[in-house]
Amino acid sequence: MGSVAIIVAIVAVWAGYKFYAGGIDRSVLKADPNRATPAKMYNDGVDFMPASSSVLFGYQFKSIAALGPIVGPVVAVQWGWLPAILWLLLGVFFIGWVQDYTSAVMAMRNDGLTMGGLSYKLISPRARTILLSFLYFYLLLIMGAFGAISAGLFANPKVAFGFIILTLAGVLSGQMTYKWRKDLMVTTVVCVGIAVVGIWLGTLGPFQAIVDAINGGKDSFILFATPYGPMKWSVFFWGIVVLSFCYLGSVLPIWRFAQPVNYIAFWLVLFGILGGIIGVFIRMPSFGDFPAFTGFYVKGIIAPGVDTPLWPILFVTIACGAISGWHSLVSTSGTARQLEKETDALPVGAGAMFTEAVMAVLAVVFAVTAFGGYKGYMEVLTKGGGPAVVFARGMAEYLNVLGIGKDFGLAFGSAFLVIMALTVMQLVLRFMRVASAELLGEAIPAFRNVHFGTTVGVLLTLLLMWTGFWSRIWILFGGSNQLFASLALVLITIWLATTGKSYQWALWPAVFMYVSTVAALIVTAYVSFQAAFAPGLKAAFMFGNLIAAGIGFALVILSLVLAWDALQAFGRARSLKPATAKA
Amino acid sequence: MATVEVEVIAPLISGVRHCRHCQPFLEDAGISAPVQREELGSYPEEMWQDYTRLSNLVRSLAGRYGDQVRIVLIDPHTPMGFVKCVRHWIRQYPTFIVNGRAKYAGWDERSVDTLVRAGGALEKAEGGAVLGR
């Protein structure tokens, strides 16, 4: 059944790409290979630069696929595998590619304007400000969600040592490349070899014992109770270590830390993905007793014990793979400026999105098949360390088919996920540091200091991680991400209306995404607000719940203002006569 | 006349521009320039010297052969760069690969010229006319 699901997904995305996306491309957008693109018109060799469609496809896919298509589906199968797979396939078929592809075309035909510029031009000046607000919430929430996921993985005594060696191997690779000028093949073989051996050593008794000692015993000990379960010393401590890595990534020169560590990590991610896929096809796993549908409500996704409804929460829990607003930023600010021909936009924008949907279905298959059924899956999800551990153990199961030991597979899969999360986190922290220096540096000169700005970002993240419930942070993060998607689809609709083209195929997805996302944010903010005043709650957790509620309500208010401006812009666009409109 | 393709394999200075996750944020938030400035300024001095030297060499080639040559810079850290390193067994930078076959590793411009001419390109005169071999 697992491999059948993957085959069905591949056939569905092929049909979506070939017939629906291809049909819209031919009949509505009419991509013209002879029309000059911004890459050709404004070629500056930096931002605007023609690139081949195969290179751009790689760029686009690498940009859109991180932890999103893995974590979201792994969490969402709590409603059963059918809703997750249906949303992934229907979402990508009717909404996902529409956004990714058309936002690239829209930017291309508007001189390569970014989402901010397009919002300003097509909706209103304050729409750009609202977009930036979504962006800052998104970054803060991404730090909290990824930080909590990584700390949970590190707490496993088999993981921490290997990851530290992997990071040191990355730093060594930077030294060998940029200072010692060694050739890349030697550097790669040596440093990837050290990383793999380090991960393996970390699974052995003596090294586990060191981590156990740091963790305060095999099962660690409870530092304090939270409303979401006990906070173990190991998770608390490794959370600080994770943020310390991000700190280094943010303040050290990019060639010294972030770039070379990412380079070494690239090989591990590549081996992990290839090994996992081959393992699935060799084993041909069955879905077993894993239910197709467990019910409209499941307990515990927004908060422990709280009934979480399938609609609207599923549609923000799974973003990447079905539709993710983040992709519209990639399509407009990067891809649209590098497309050599208009006709390349379809294979690049839509093609990468459809490919990501297959990757997300693979994550569903991992979660559903690797633990012998629903009970095993829930056991690992709720007691074993969350969705990241579900994925890492799933990967270990399928790497085991290739003869790789399960302990090593688990450590490898965990390192794989942590490095994907840290890659994003250290750069987000760098971004937060620079943004705070630019925006607040005048009023508060301390923000101009590299270490001060970074420390503030780290402390805010730790606050989110220690006082909030990670799954709720994930949903809020999904909410801010899907507001991007709603905005992108609204922009596309207005642009199509302005240029006298058929717009229903973008309008209804925009309405669905907007309504679902705002509803999800209201539900999440309301539950957080209620939880803040639960009897006997300590001040810190009241604070954590209030932060979550505050972010949720702030996003809702901003999205309502945006909807008002968008409605007016849409009315103006519809009143334009097609003859006066130009593409 | 067929275009001569010159692939130059060398570590490049990219800052965070290579990161497709960050760049859209930086662009939309309008803070791309200070981040890039900070990152580019942090590379080791010797990297910058090599980068400037390579840049001059590439400009000189482009100036002398014009549109007869297509010059592609490839960082060995990219997947394509790594494949090229393995395929052509590149152990030293910069390495110039002409038309996918002829290879020269080093800084000697005349050696690169020899390969480019062997590939079929003719040097241009100052006015832009193509000179004979």
Side-chain angles (χ1 to χ4, degrees):
Chain A
M1 189 64 191
S3 23
V4 172
I6 295 173
I7 290 164
V8 167
I10 290 170
V11 171
V13 301
W14 175 81
Y17 176 78
K18 190 83 186 158
F19 300 112
Y20 187 42
I24 293 280
D25 182 53
R26 283 188 299 275
S27 62
V28 181
L29 293 171
K30 296 176 180 158
D32 176 0
N34 299 315
R35 194 195 298 243
T37 61
K40 283 183 173 169
M41 287 191 293
Y42 310 121
N43 187 348
D44 60 5
V46 183
D47 290 321
F48 295 87
M49 194 169 43
S52 78
S53 59
S54 53
V55 170
L56 274 183
F57 175 87
Y59 276 163
Q60 177 88 2
F61 185 71
K62 183 175 174 287
S63 310
I64 64 176
L67 274 190
I70 295 171
V71 175
V74 167
V75 174
V77 291
Q78 288 178 75
W79 282 287
W81 55 263
L82 190 59
I85 289 184
L86 276 181
W87 167 233
L88 282 168
L89 296 184
L90 292 174
V92 73
F93 198 104
F94 289 108
I95 313 179
W97 78 267
V98 171
Q99 177 204 247
D100 290 22
Y101 161 65
T102 319
S103 51
V105 174
M106 176 173 62
M108 216 167 23
R109 292 188 186 171
N110 281 278
D111 296 330
L113 282 179
T114 62
M115 278 282 282
L118 289 164
S119 309
Y120 188 98
K121 179 182 172 185
L122 294 173
I123 299 182
S124 66
R126 74 174 165 192
R128 181 177 185 276
T129 313
I130 292 173
L131 170 85
L132 290 180
S133 313
F134 291 167
L135 205 140
Y136 285 104
F137 282 126
Y138 178 93
L139 293 178
L140 183 60
L141 292 164
I142 214 174
M143 288 292 286
F146 284 13
I149 289 170
S150 304
L153 284 168
F154 258 102
N156 184 331
K158 290 175 184 161
V159 175
F161 181 82
F163 184 79
I164 291 168
I165 298 298
L166 159 65
T167 309
L168 293 176
V171 173
L172 175 65
S173 121
Q175 183 71 16
M176 288 175 79
T177 304
Y178 296 109
K179 280 285 187 185
W180 298 341
R181 307 303 185 87
K182 296 288 174 198
D183 78 85
L184 188 75
M185 283 187 290
V186 171
T187 305
T188 307
V189 170
V190 168
C191 296
V192 172
I194 290 174
V196 171
V197 170
I199 292 170
W200 171 68
L201 285 177
T203 64
L204 302 181
F207 296 97
Q208 270 192 64
I210 297 171
V211 182
D212 276 340
I214 296 170
N215 284 353
K218 228 172 176 51
D219 297 317
S220 191
F221 58 88
I222 295 168
L223 199 61
F224 52 82
T226 84
Y228 326 111
M231 168 63 80
K232 286 188 175 178
W233 159 251
S234 53
V235 176
F236 182 86
F237 172 76
W238 290 109
I240 297 174
V241 173
V242 165
L243 268 294
S244 304
F245 277 115
C246 295
Y247 187 96
L248 290 175
S250 167
V251 299
L252 287 174
I254 195 115
W255 64 270
R256 174 66 83 187
F257 193 90
Q259 218 173 44
V261 172
N262 289 353
Y263 175 69
I264 297 303
F266 159 79
W267 290 104
L268 300 191
V269 171
L270 184 72
F271 295 149
I273 288 176
L274 287 180
I277 292 173
I278 293 169
V280 167
F281 277 98
I282 290 177
R283 184 183 278 182
M284 302 287 263
S286 140
F287 279 10
D289 71 344
F290 205 104
F293 181 54
T294 58
F296 188 77
Y297 289 99
V298 293
K299 281 199 188 298
I301 294 183
I302 297 181
V306 172
D307 280 334
T308 306
L310 185 144
W311 186 88
I313 302 298
L314 172 70
F315 303 92
V316 296
T317 304
I318 296 182
C320 286
I323 164 140
S324 163
W326 151 252
H327 301 185
S328 62
L329 291 181
V330 175
S331 289
T332 53
S333 64
T335 305
R337 296 172 172 191
Q338 290 176 288
L339 286 162
E340 194 169 9
K341 294 190 296 243
E342 276 201 354
T343 41
D344 288 346
L346 187 68
V348 173
M353 180 66 229
F354 280 115
T355 310
E356 192 192 42
V358 176
M359 185 177 165
V361 170
L362 192 69
V364 170
V365 172
F366 267 36
V368 170
T369 59
F371 308 103
Y374 189 68
K375 201 175 155 201
Y377 156 78
M378 286 303 288
E379 187 93 3
V380 177
L381 184 73
T382 53
K383 294 177 191 154
V389 177
V390 171
F391 183 82
R393 283 188 52 177
M395 179 175 274
E397 288 290 329
Y398 290 110
L399 289 178
N400 187 241
V401 176
L402 306 178
I404 294 166
K406 282 191 184 176
D407 274 355
F408 177 77
L410 175 63
F412 186 87
S414 302
F416 167 106
L417 284 176
V418 172
I419 200 70
M420 280 178 92
L422 286 195
T423 300
V424 176
M425 287 173 71
Q426 62 193 353
L427 290 160
V428 167
L429 196 58
R430 183 179 289 263
F431 172 90
M432 288 167 86
R433 163 168 71 75
V434 178
S436 58
E438 291 284 312
L439 300 174
L440 304 170
E442 282 287 313
I444 312 169
F447 274 104
R448 289 197 192 132
N449 180 292
V450 169
H451 299 284
F452 182 80
T454 311
T455 306
V456 169
V458 166
L459 291 177
L460 277 175
T461 307
L462 285 173
L463 196 69
L464 265 183
M465 284 163 57
W466 289 339
T467 63
F469 180 49
W470 88 265
S471 176
R472 185 190 301 156
I473 301 172
W474 180 264
I475 290 170
L476 286 171
F477 156 63
S480 62
N481 186 17
Q482 298 303 54
L483 284 177
F484 273 139
S486 311
L487 173 61
L489 290 163
V490 164
L491 280 171
I492 290 166
T493 306
I494 293 172
W495 172 67
L496 290 169
T498 309
T499 51
K501 292 180 168 55
S502 156
Y503 53 77
Q504 305 291 338
W505 55 281
L507 172 67
W508 295 112
V511 171
F512 176 77
M513 286 314 299
Y514 182 82
V515 172
S516 298
T517 307
V518 171
L521 286 168
I522 290 173
V523 170
T524 311
Y526 178 71
V527 168
S528 309
F529 191 72
Q530 262 193 330
F533 297 102
L537 195 69
K538 284 184 185 160
F541 301 109
M542 177 191 263
F543 185 67
N545 280 306
L546 284 177
I547 287 183
I551 292 176
F553 284 129
L555 287 171
V556 170
I557 291 166
L558 288 171
S559 58
L560 291 176
V561 175
L562 183 68
W564 173 252
D565 284 3
L567 273 177
Q568 289 182 316
F570 184 53
R572 286 195 301 272
R574 288 216 310 171
S575 65
L576 283 177
K577 287 185 182 152
T580 63
K582 64 185 178 90
Chain B
M1 186 183 294
T3 308
V4 178
E5 181 160 278
V6 182
E7 292 167 309
V8 187
I9 319 289
L12 303 176
I13 291 178
S14 66
V16 293
R17 200 168 275 283
H18 70 284
C19 176
R20 307 274 297 186
H21 290 284
C22 322
Q23 201 51 35
F25 279 125
L26 299 174
E27 289 287 340
D28 269 294
I31 57 167
S32 178
V35 173
Q36 304 302 344
R37 242 194 333 267
E38 183 188 292
E39 295 313 333
L40 295 180
S42 73
Y43 278 88
E45 183 57 34
E46 52 269 40
M47 271 293 290
W48 267 111
Q49 283 168 2
D50 279 1
Y51 193 71
T52 310
R53 198 172 166 195
L54 180 64
S55 180
N56 290 337
L57 204 155
V58 167
R59 275 170 206 271
S60 163
L61 271 182
R64 275 181 291 120
Y65 295 101
D67 56 9
Q68 296 175 82
V69 291
R70 181 170 176 264
I71 303 170
V72 185
L73 294 173
I74 301 172
D75 191 315
H77 289 92
T78 59
M80 189 202 285
F82 188 81
V83 169
K84 299 260 179 210
C85 285
V86 174
R87 190 173 153 210
H88 298 282
W89 202 246
I90 294 169
R91 310 285 309 272
Q92 196 188 334
Y93 311 113
T95 293
F96 299 80
I97 301 167
V98 177
N99 286 339
R101 281 185 300 274
K103 180 180 99 173
Y104 166 71
W107 292 102
D108 182 24
E109 198 168 341
R110 273 182 299 183
S111 302
V112 181
D113 261 339
T114 308
L115 283 190
V116 171
R117 286 178 191 214
L122 302 174
E123 195 166 347
K124 285 194 311 183
E126 265 188 30
V130 173
L131 297 172
R133 272 187 231 197

